Amino acid sequence: MSFPKCVSGTTELSTVLLLSPACYISTLAVILKTTNPKPWVNEFESIELSCMIESISTAQPRIEWKKIKMGEPSYVYFGKAISGDLEKRAKIREPASLVILNATRADSADYRCEVTAPNDQKSFDEILISLTVRVKPVVPRCSVPKSVPVGKPAELHCLEGEGYPKSQYQWFRNKEEIPENPKNSPKFINSTYTLSRELGTLKFSAVKKEDAGEYYCRAKNEAGSSECGPQMMEVYDINIAGIILGVVVVVTVLLCIIVGIFCAYKRGYFTSQKQTGKNYKAPANGDGVDYVRTEDEGDFRHKSSFVI
């Protein structure tokens, strides 16, 4: 491993002090730089975190890499070996750059390159690199009503939760993109809707016949895009005459039921007990004598013969 030097030796150093103070200072200090402090990579691709040593005098400096996530640091390169989350997935490209071979979404974090050079006057330097791993969206979940009456509101929903950065959403009808503002397209100028690319919602305040068709949604970010399958939305007219006829039929049936119940009640079909010969009692006679009717209707038996 070789590092840049200006000059060495006492004589040469005296000359440097007179001719090039900047070179003298850099020779006594370890200085790091990076070509990209905020790199990004698509998931499952390779990325190099650049950590270059501009100046150093120590022949064998100590190089370490730390991953910082949620404020907690952890080693990913220590003692000349890859460790932690990146074990078997990374390597060091001399002199000090870190190469991640198969980046995953969990690798999004801050990484700190640290170099310690005991023989330098400024013996330590570090540089912070923020890595973003972009994740392609998965197939979104789409919700489209199958049928909507003319003039009624309707809502279409589209959502996915895997993409990073957060997905933006596009809606299509019959394979043509629906513009965010319907007035921007002659084909959608008569539609009354609001479209949210951030939330993935398409809301109609009052659907029209021309709003019928096949709808699908696309989720998209910098890493790629995915879309759901088309779903048909039908728009139909409300049959006012049919509704009125149905109401008339229901009212007629209810009236018939009520009249039938009333007639049955008047005819005594709902009387709980009928009069029979067994519980019949003849009216009392004026002579004070009661008679009980036997099973033979014409036969009366004297019950009480004492009259005052």
Side-chain angles (χ1 to χ4, degrees):
M1 185 181 296
S2 60
F3 302 98
K5 294 183 180 180
C6 287
V7 291
S8 60
T10 305
T11 305
E12 292 85 349
L13 185 57
S14 301
T15 306
V16 167
L17 285 172
L18 295 174
L19 301 178
S20 181
C23 186
Y24 170 70
I25 294 172
S26 65
T27 303
L28 299 179
V30 55
I31 300 175
L32 305 180
K33 75 171 186 177
T34 181
T35 57
N36 189 359
K38 294 184 178 181
W40 59 264
V41 64
N42 291 337
E43 191 172 30
F44 309 125
E45 294 180 358
S46 299
I47 181 70
E48 179 178 340
L49 307 186
S50 168
C51 180
M52 298 183 296
I53 302 175
E54 270 199 323
S55 172
I56 198 168
S57 294
T58 303
Q60 296 293 329
R62 186 175 74 238
I63 300 171
E64 297 173 352
W65 276 91
K66 293 177 183 176
K67 177 181 179 180
I68 306 168
K69 197 159 190 174
M70 304 295 290
E72 294 293 329
S74 60
Y75 281 104
V76 291
Y77 181 73
F78 179 77
K80 298 184 178 182
I82 300 294
S83 60
D85 296 342
L86 298 182
E87 189 173 2
K88 299 180 180 179
R89 292 196 301 116
K91 65 180 181 179
I92 291 294
R93 180 169 292 166
E94 293 189 359
S97 294
L98 178 67
V99 180
I100 301 176
L101 302 175
N102 185 23
T104 68
R105 64 192 70 188
D107 295 331
S108 289
D110 290 335
Y111 291 83
R112 190 165 63 215
C113 175
E114 300 177 356
V115 176
T116 303
N119 297 337
D120 289 70
Q121 184 174 350
K122 178 180 176 292
S123 61
F124 178 81
D125 197 14
E126 63 181 22
I127 195 164
L128 190 67
I129 299 173
S130 297
L131 173 64
T132 299
V133 179
R134 305 190 305 193
V135 181
K136 177 183 175 181
V138 297
V139 176
R141 301 184 300 276
C142 300
S143 174
V144 179
K146 292 184 178 180
S147 59
V148 184
V150 171
K152 295 295 182 180
E155 291 189 10
L156 288 70
H157 297 273
C158 180
L159 185 66
E160 74 85 33
E162 298 294 326
Y164 186 83
K166 189 177 180 181
S167 295
Q168 296 284 303
Y169 300 95
Q170 299 168 284
W171 275 100
F172 296 81
R173 186 184 73 193
N174 299 330
K175 298 182 179 181
E176 185 166 355
E177 183 178 359
I178 300 174
E180 195 165 3
N181 186 348
K183 299 186 183 300
N184 294 337
S185 172
K187 292 187 178 181
F188 297 92
I189 195 168
N190 293 325
S191 296
T192 55
Y193 64 80
T194 56
L195 174 62
S196 173
R197 297 197 183 278
E198 291 75 24
L199 301 177
T201 56
L202 176 61
K203 298 182 179 181
F204 292 91
S205 57
V207 297
K208 296 180 173 61
K209 274 287 191 180
E210 54 265 32
D211 293 326
E214 280 191 339
Y215 288 82
Y216 67 91
C217 167
R218 177 181 296 161
K220 184 178 181 180
N221 65 10
E222 291 89 340
S225 65
S226 294
E227 58 190 42
C228 62
Q231 301 179 43
M232 187 69 187
M233 184 178 81
E234 296 180 355
V235 179
Y236 62 91
D237 292 313
I238 299 177
N239 190 351
I240 303 297
I243 294 175
I244 295 174
L245 179 60
V247 171
V248 170
V249 170
V250 171
V251 172
T252 302
V253 171
L254 289 176
L255 287 175
C256 290
I257 293 173
I258 293 171
V259 171
I261 293 174
F262 179 76
C263 292
Y265 181 78
K266 293 292 288 184
R267 293 183 180 182
Y269 288 113
F270 295 103
T271 303
S272 61
Q273 188 177 22
K274 294 182 180 180
Q275 290 184 345
T276 63
K278 292 184 179 180
N279 60 6
Y280 174 79
K281 184 177 182 182
N285 291 332
D287 57 3
V289 179
D290 293 336
Y291 296 87
V292 177
R293 190 173 188 177
T294 62
E295 292 182 359
D296 187 355
E297 188 174 347
D299 183 14
F300 289 89
R301 182 162 54 86
H302 184 266
K303 181 179 180 184
S304 176
S305 60
F306 181 76
V307 179
I308 300 176

